[in-house]
Amino acid sequence: MRSYKILEYALTSLLRRPGKTFAILLVYMLMIAVLASVLFLTQSLKSEATTMLAAGPELIVQKTLAGRHELIPVAAVDLLTAIPGVKEVKPRVWGYYYDALVEANYTLQAFDPTDDTLTLLDGRLPQGEEECAIGSGVAAIRRVALEDDLILIDHDNIGRIFTVTGVFKTDSDLLTQDLIVVPAGPLRQFFGMPESLATDLAVSVYNPSEIETIANKIKRIMPDSRPITQRELLRTYHAVFDWRGGMMLALFSSALLAFCILAWDKATGLSAGERREIGILKAIGWDTGDVLLLKLYEGLALSLLAFLGGLLIAFLLVFFWGAPLLGEVLRGWSVLFPALKPTPFIDMYQVATLAFLTIVPYVASTIIPAWRAAIADPDDVMRG
Amino acid sequence: MSPLIITDDVRKTYHLNQADATEAVACISLQIDAGEVVVLKGPSGSGKTSLLSLIGCMSRPTSGRIIVAGEEVSRLPERFLTLVRRRTFGFVFQQYQLIPDLSVHDNVMLPLYPEALGLAAMQQRVALALADVEMDSFAGRRVAHLSGGQQQRVAIARALVNRPQVLIADEPTAHLDSRLSIELLQRLTVLKQAGLTLIIATHDPMVCDHTLVDRVITLHDGRLVGEGGA
């Protein structure tokens, strides 16, 4: 009953100082919202990347020349298929295209009927030589829809016309936003890529635990190749998102610092009114423990409310409103950003860390000055 | 019967060992019996309020002993000192020291929070205390919206809600006109008749000369300079 009464008094105390309470709540909530947004977005992008790569090939083999990516001979397919444990080797034809008209980069990929990661939002997959399916980002930036013509300049600087037969969608658009899929033949012609060459080889294996062994064997058989496992790709993606998230957190750490200064300012002194109130409570029979409990409840109520409010704002910002501003920094270098609608994914460890780093200092900054006042004689406290 | 309160050579120095050290109370020894009404009289700065604080366990003496109901309280740990303060004393401060944003009811209920009482019992005690000072109809009103006299009545209700043995009042008539002062003295007379010990610091002759007062103790520069009946 005593705790409940003191809790009630703590809540009414906060409401008795609406200006101060609201100001602290606002600053605290905004800081949590910003920091949590970065964490949520980084984590969900990593989660998206994991999902996306899980559906891709287990192993990609590229040819390198002077340390750079080169086109790989299709003849290598037979060489790799002969390695025990290899299930299938498929040459992939794809490349990048810079669209000077809208200053955007696209990924052009040959149509693979067995690729089930691409889901059409509308229309059908390309069949004819002059047909293509495009990502929703390409459709938006070039303002083309189904049955419209998409003109791209090929390697001979000649305009090629493709009719849009479909628009892609995936859960996050991370994969298909900047994608243009055309049949393999026309794509080779477009890039000027000989039939004997491919961009890379996609290798699938019978036993995923043997993937590292097979990658080593490929490296031995083809010394100028670079086998990239799905795990390595995932690690790279995670490292990139972690780096970008880290950069943003470093920037926003100034917000955290400002908050700490606010907390320190609070910790180093009480207002005359607050000191007087503690003196009165002590004089009428509250002991130090009662006063500290009161301040603990005040600090916890305010910080928990602000923390949960900040998390809610961050959740809505990232998972419902597509992380405006933050998304552009975290997603990539292209001007054609994926229209991100990431699947909600929250790392509770990160949330707990954020809670610990913000709630604990705030509550401490509420309790310490109150403790200093509460251990003094009430007469001294009221005299100031 | 042993006295309820004994001060034995009590001294209180503020800012001890500093250049601006001030001796507010110097070597005061006195005894107050249960049910007695004692007035501490003297000009401003004579040490009345400091002595009240010492007697009421609101501050500790620099030296000397204070004994309340047979227990020496001057060296008690803070927790036990608070308990003595809560169970034995009720305070009416010069500036009332109410919390202005709270209602009359909530101000009066505050001393009961640390007690092991149910909500109904608390409400009942608050209602009784407010009725005793005729402020029950103002229970929901914010203290900041009350007149000085009404605030003082709320302060008295708050002081009495814990049913203390001793009521300590510091300059109770300082902010009251003569009509309200008479009203207050009538109220204090009722409390005396109920057996409460009253210790009042004042320099108001109307209080010092009132029939309710058993003894007047005169202070000057922190020292006891005179003692006698009203």
Side-chain angles (χ1 to χ4, degrees):
Chain A
M1 188 64 189
R2 171 178 158 265
S3 293
Y4 169 74
K5 285 183 292 186
I6 292 176
L7 171 64
E8 190 189 356
Y9 183 69
L11 297 178
T12 55
S13 288
L14 291 174
L15 294 176
R16 279 191 287 123
R17 302 186 288 262
K20 187 181 174 189
T21 303
F22 182 73
I24 294 174
L25 201 63
L26 189 72
V27 171
Y28 199 154
M29 208 181 271
L30 279 177
M31 186 199 65
I32 295 293
V34 168
L35 294 176
S37 296
V38 177
L39 293 179
F40 284 174
L41 190 55
T42 308
Q43 202 57 39
S44 74
L45 282 172
K46 283 162 69 176
S47 166
E48 289 291 340
T50 307
T51 312
M52 183 186 86
L53 289 174
E58 291 156 317
L59 184 65
I60 293 167
V61 181
Q62 294 179 342
K63 187 181 179 217
T64 57
L65 182 66
R68 296 187 63 84
H69 179 202
E70 269 285 301
L71 297 179
I72 193 164
V74 176
V77 169
D78 296 335
L79 207 60
L80 301 190
T81 311
I83 297 173
V86 171
K87 190 160 89 181
E88 190 184 15
V89 180
K90 280 200 290 190
R92 301 197 311 174
V93 178
W94 61 272
Y96 296 121
Y97 176 84
Y98 177 68
D99 189 347
L101 195 66
V102 290
E103 296 178 333
N105 288 288
Y106 307 143
T107 303
L108 270 64
Q109 184 183 310
F111 172 54
D112 177 3
T114 62
D115 186 351
D116 55 3
T117 60
L118 304 175
T119 315
L120 278 174
L121 179 69
D122 206 359
R124 59 175 175 78
L125 290 165
Q127 288 158 354
E129 295 236 327
E130 292 174 345
E131 290 181 345
C132 70
I134 58 175
S136 53
V138 180
I141 201 164
R142 287 294 296 260
R143 295 179 185 176
V144 287
L146 281 180
E147 306 303 330
D148 284 349
D149 287 340
L150 179 68
I151 301 169
L152 304 173
I153 310 297
D154 73 5
H155 76 288
D156 277 335
N157 209 23
I158 295 167
R160 298 285 299 267
I161 301 169
F162 296 96
T163 305
V164 177
T165 61
V167 179
F168 289 110
K169 69 160 184 181
T170 66
D171 284 346
S172 74
D173 281 351
L174 206 58
L175 186 70
T176 59
Q177 181 76 0
D178 68 343
L179 192 64
I180 299 175
V181 171
V182 292
L187 188 60
R188 285 183 182 281
Q189 287 170 18
F190 186 84
F191 282 137
M193 189 188 293
E195 289 283 338
S196 60
L197 296 174
T199 309
D200 54 27
L201 303 176
V203 179
S204 58
V205 297
Y206 287 109
N207 182 0
S209 60
E210 287 180 350
I211 205 119
E212 297 291 341
T213 316
I214 290 170
N216 287 337
K217 282 182 183 171
I218 292 171
K219 185 69 185 164
R220 272 204 303 275
I221 293 167
M222 295 174 61
D224 59 349
S225 72
R226 184 170 62 180
I228 305 165
T229 64
Q230 202 176 59
R231 217 169 70 182
E232 281 172 331
L233 264 181
L234 200 58
R235 207 160 48 215
T236 309
Y237 266 96
H238 284 197
V240 167
F241 289 135
D242 278 344
W243 180 81
R244 287 177 182 158
M247 285 296 287
M248 293 205 71
L249 281 179
L251 286 173
F252 289 128
S253 62
S254 57
L256 191 62
L257 185 70
F259 178 75
C260 289
I261 291 169
L262 177 86
W264 175 251
D265 184 52
K266 225 169 118 47
T268 49
L270 287 173
S271 71
E274 285 170 319
R275 276 183 71 82
R276 185 176 151 265
E277 188 170 325
I278 289 173
I280 293 170
L281 293 176
K282 290 272 293 179
I284 62 174
W286 287 42
D287 68 24
T288 305
D290 297 325
V291 174
L292 294 186
L293 191 62
L294 167 69
K295 291 295 166 186
L296 175 73
Y297 284 152
E298 275 186 21
L300 274 179
L302 199 106
S303 54
L304 280 175
L305 184 63
F307 187 78
L308 293 176
L311 281 189
L312 182 67
I313 292 172
F315 190 87
L316 293 174
L317 200 69
V318 172
F319 300 120
F320 285 87
W321 300 324
L325 302 177
L326 292 177
E328 278 73 357
V329 183
L330 281 170
R331 270 171 287 176
W333 46 269
S334 173
V335 291
L336 209 58
F337 292 119
L340 197 68
K341 283 188 193 123
T343 314
F345 182 86
I346 295 170
D347 182 347
M348 292 315 289
Y349 176 75
Q350 286 185 338
V351 171
T353 306
L354 191 60
F356 182 79
L357 287 177
T358 55
I359 292 175
V360 172
Y362 184 80
V363 171
S365 74
T366 309
I367 288 180
I368 292 167
W371 170 75
R372 279 200 205 127
I375 55 168
D377 288 335
D379 183 49
D380 292 340
V381 180
M382 285 197 289
R383 279 171 191 261
Chain B
M1 195 176 75
S2 60
L4 180 63
I5 296 162
I6 300 170
T7 70
D8 178 18
D9 202 20
V10 164
R11 186 187 293 266
K12 177 71 180 179
T13 306
Y14 292 106
H15 309 132
L16 190 66
N17 300 328
Q18 292 175 26
D20 58 343
T22 311
E23 190 166 54
V25 174
C27 309
I28 290 186
S29 297
L30 57 86
Q31 298 185 352
I32 298 169
D33 292 328
E36 199 179 3
V37 177
V38 176
V39 163
L40 303 178
K41 181 182 153 190
S44 292
S46 59
K48 302 187 299 289
T49 301
S50 296
L51 186 56
L52 281 186
S53 288
L54 290 169
I55 291 171
C57 304
M58 294 255 290
S59 65
R60 291 168 193 272
T62 309
S63 65
R65 293 189 312 150
I66 297 172
I67 297 163
V68 176
E71 185 174 18
E72 193 191 331
V73 296
S74 11
R75 303 286 175 263
L76 271 183
E78 195 272 339
R79 203 171 155 200
F80 296 104
L81 193 68
T82 304
L83 206 61
V84 172
R85 186 163 63 235
R86 185 161 75 223
R87 299 268 160 90
T88 314
F89 299 99
F91 296 89
V92 179
F93 299 99
Q94 188 174 352
Q95 305 292 342
Y96 313 134
Q97 302 289 17
L98 298 167
I99 297 177
D101 301 325
L102 285 183
S103 68
V104 167
H105 176 277
D106 291 348
N107 263 287
V108 176
M109 196 187 258
L110 278 179
L112 298 176
Y113 277 50
E115 296 287 355
L117 286 174
L119 190 62
M122 285 168 71
Q123 305 273 23
Q124 194 185 9
R125 278 217 204 171
V126 172
L128 281 173
L130 286 175
D132 282 348
V133 294
E134 294 161 38
M135 285 297 288
D136 39 349
S137 56
F138 293 85
R141 194 83 71 85
R142 273 177 60 183
V143 161
H145 297 154
L146 300 179
S147 69
Q150 289 169 328
Q151 287 192 25
Q152 191 185 53
R153 281 193 271 161
V154 176
I156 293 172
R158 187 184 65 183
L160 297 177
V161 75
N162 252 343
R163 298 174 182 165
Q165 290 175 267
V166 182
L167 180 73
I168 291 178
D170 190 6
E171 301 283 6
T173 57
H175 304 292
L176 304 181
D177 59 24
S178 55
R179 185 183 60 83
L180 288 173
S181 295
I182 291 167
E183 231 177 66
L184 171 74
L185 289 167
Q186 285 169 346
R187 190 158 280 122
L188 294 178
T189 305
V190 172
L191 293 176
K192 181 190 178 182
Q193 285 162 355
L196 213 67
T197 305
L198 302 177
I199 306 172
I200 304 163
T202 187
H203 55 255
D204 182 352
M206 188 193 276
V207 179
C208 297
D209 301 337
H210 198 271
T211 53
L212 102 120
V213 177
D214 297 317
R215 192 154 45 118
V216 177
I217 293 168
T218 309
L219 300 175
H220 192 80
D221 288 341
R223 292 176 190 280
L224 200 155
V225 293
E227 189 172 351

